Amino acid sequence: MVAVADAQDAHGDGRERAGRLSLQEVWPGVYRVPIPIPAPLREVNAYALRGPHGWTLVDTGFHTPEAEARWNQAFHRLGIGAGDVEAVFVTHFHPDHFGAAGWLQKCTGAPVLMHQREVELARRIWRPAAAEAFSAFAARHGVPDQLAAPLAQRRARIVSWVDPQPQVTPVREGEELRLGGRRWQVLWTPGHTDGLVVLWQPGEGLLLADDMVLPGISPNISAGPQAAPNPLGRYLDSLQQVGRLPARRVLPGHRAPFDDLAGRCRELAEHHRRRLEEVEAIVAAGGRVTAWQVAGQLFGRVMDTLANVEFALGETVAHLDYLVEQGRLAVVEAGDEAAGPGGKEDAEPGPREGSRASVPRLMYEKRR
């Protein structure tokens, strides 16, 4: 049970585990609850929505002792009893948003709501066997063998941070939900994940944007073994859709709330336009290259942690695949031969027989 009544949990052991809680009412009856996460961004924004008869929680953090302690602090500060939580809404399956949903459900008995597409993805991805699919994806795109085991170990650890998994009630695109005393429209905005949704309150112009639109940083748009084709194309379409909303206040999944939704959407679209030009130029100069080689030039020293390696690879493949979809690049399979016409002589060789299941490597080149 969530320890909401014991001040020791809010000010003693909880503070040691999670640090001081900076709780902020960002809109009348809407509180931002920053949850510490073991990831480069350090915190994810969860939200507690107060209604006339109870509370709705939006997103949850990883399931870690630090997240449990932070939720205990928030429940104590807001006066929330375990039976006061009417629902937990999860915007998408990423572990910093989904991870503690099962624990919160077990503590409160509240239903967990999530888009049907994300329900299916969570079931497939948050199981140990899914690490094998990612390992093959990494090998296919040129990630060196010495990173295979550490990346697989990181994936396995993340699975432990989304346990227990909740029983999920699926929601649909366009559905209207009463959450925290307000009526919200569920808008499907794929790209960051296939089933990501935002919550829109048209009467007040309030947008719970989670990771669809972030201030100051670009949401990670990644290709991967479980992602739908062309995630960047889907994300750019979603940006256009969301950018038309007459929002007065935007509540993002990371960093502080902001107001200029249309302007931020334009900035993000421009960021990806420039990034696509950069990727195309790298491929043109390289002749025939792997996604790993392109990622090294795009992100370089930023790839300093396993998490950033994974983010960089997925983001690079998403941009490469978008350019293939647009007819600006071509993709071919390469075996143990040299990089091919126009390729560099010292290009990394293809997979050896028996190495990571001898996955054939994909190479990208300018379309002739």
Side-chain angles (χ1 to χ4, degrees):
M1 184 63 67
V2 176
V4 297
D6 189 345
Q8 176 67 25
D9 288 311
H11 300 295
D13 181 59
R15 178 176 295 172
E16 293 173 6
R17 287 181 178 273
R20 184 182 296 275
L21 170 62
S22 178
L23 192 68
Q24 180 185 13
E25 187 173 20
V26 292
W27 199 260
V30 179
Y31 297 84
R32 179 168 68 134
V33 184
I35 305 294
I37 57 175
L41 287 173
R42 298 187 179 182
E43 290 183 330
V44 63
N45 291 333
Y47 293 92
L49 282 54
R50 185 182 62 224
H53 307 295
W55 293 76
T56 295
L57 311 179
V58 180
D59 290 335
T60 71
F62 290 84
H63 184 208
T64 63
E66 292 78 15
E68 288 189 14
R70 183 60 60 84
W71 276 116
N72 284 332
Q73 293 175 31
F75 274 41
H76 179 85
R77 288 269 299 275
L78 294 171
I80 302 174
D84 297 333
V85 179
E86 297 180 306
V88 178
F89 191 96
V90 177
T91 59
H92 59 295
F93 79 89
H94 283 169
D96 53 333
H97 297 260
F98 174 76
W103 172 73
L104 283 166
Q105 184 176 61
K106 183 179 179 181
C107 294
T108 66
V112 173
L113 312 178
M114 191 163 65
H115 189 273
Q116 178 62 55
R117 174 63 175 154
E118 297 296 271
V119 177
E120 298 165 1
L121 282 168
R123 288 172 181 162
R124 291 208 306 268
I125 289 175
W126 301 132
R127 56 190 180 91
E132 298 176 10
F134 180 78
S135 180
F137 171 80
R140 195 164 174 78
H141 288 288
V143 175
D145 285 353
Q146 61 265 31
L147 285 176
L151 285 170
Q153 291 165 4
R154 177 180 180 273
R155 281 268 162 161
R157 192 176 187 195
I158 292 175
V159 171
S160 74
W161 287 334
V162 297
D163 182 66
Q165 294 192 32
Q167 294 293 319
V168 179
T169 301
V171 300
R172 302 181 306 276
E173 151 72 7
E175 191 170 349
E176 187 174 272
L177 302 174
R178 178 169 285 278
L179 304 172
R182 291 177 168 88
R183 291 195 176 276
W184 301 83
Q185 295 175 5
V186 177
L187 304 182
W188 180 42
T189 55
H192 180 65
T193 70
D194 297 343
L196 181 140
V197 297
V198 299
L199 292 174
W200 170 236
Q201 213 301 312
E204 299 174 69
L206 185 60
L207 180 68
L208 273 163
D210 50 89
D211 287 0
M212 174 63 218
V213 184
L214 299 174
I217 54 174
S218 172
N220 179 257
I221 310 302
S222 280
Q226 305 286 0
N230 195 18
L232 179 57
R234 292 157 69 84
Y235 178 72
L236 293 174
D237 289 343
S238 294
L239 264 185
Q240 286 191 333
Q241 172 194 354
V242 169
R244 291 192 290 266
L245 296 174
R248 294 175 58 200
R249 176 62 56 89
V250 182
L251 306 181
H254 302 274
R255 300 194 173 185
F258 62 98
D259 297 333
D260 186 7
L261 175 62
R264 184 60 187 146
C265 288
R266 288 193 297 270
E267 289 172 355
L268 287 167
E270 175 61 16
H271 161 79
H272 287 291
R273 185 193 67 78
R274 294 194 305 269
R275 176 58 55 82
L276 287 165
E277 289 182 349
E278 189 176 3
V279 169
E280 191 171 11
I282 290 171
V283 175
R288 183 179 287 182
V289 292
T290 65
W292 178 252
Q293 291 169 320
V294 176
Q297 294 191 55
L298 280 177
F299 296 101
R301 286 177 294 178
V302 175
M303 296 162 65
D304 55 352
T305 66
L306 290 173
N308 283 340
V309 165
E310 190 171 321
F311 295 151
L313 177 66
E315 180 114 358
T316 299
V317 176
H319 284 75
L320 287 164
D321 287 350
Y322 180 90
L323 291 168
V324 171
E325 183 74 18
Q326 294 290 307
R328 292 157 64 179
L329 297 181
V331 59
V332 297
E333 284 192 353
D336 287 336
E337 71 275 14
K344 295 180 179 179
E345 292 296 325
D346 60 351
E348 297 178 11
R352 298 177 299 277
E353 186 66 30
S355 172
R356 295 161 79 185
S358 300
V359 177
R361 187 164 294 182
L362 293 181
M363 311 288 288
Y364 294 86
E365 62 185 9
K366 278 290 290 180
R367 185 173 291 278
R368 294 177 174 80

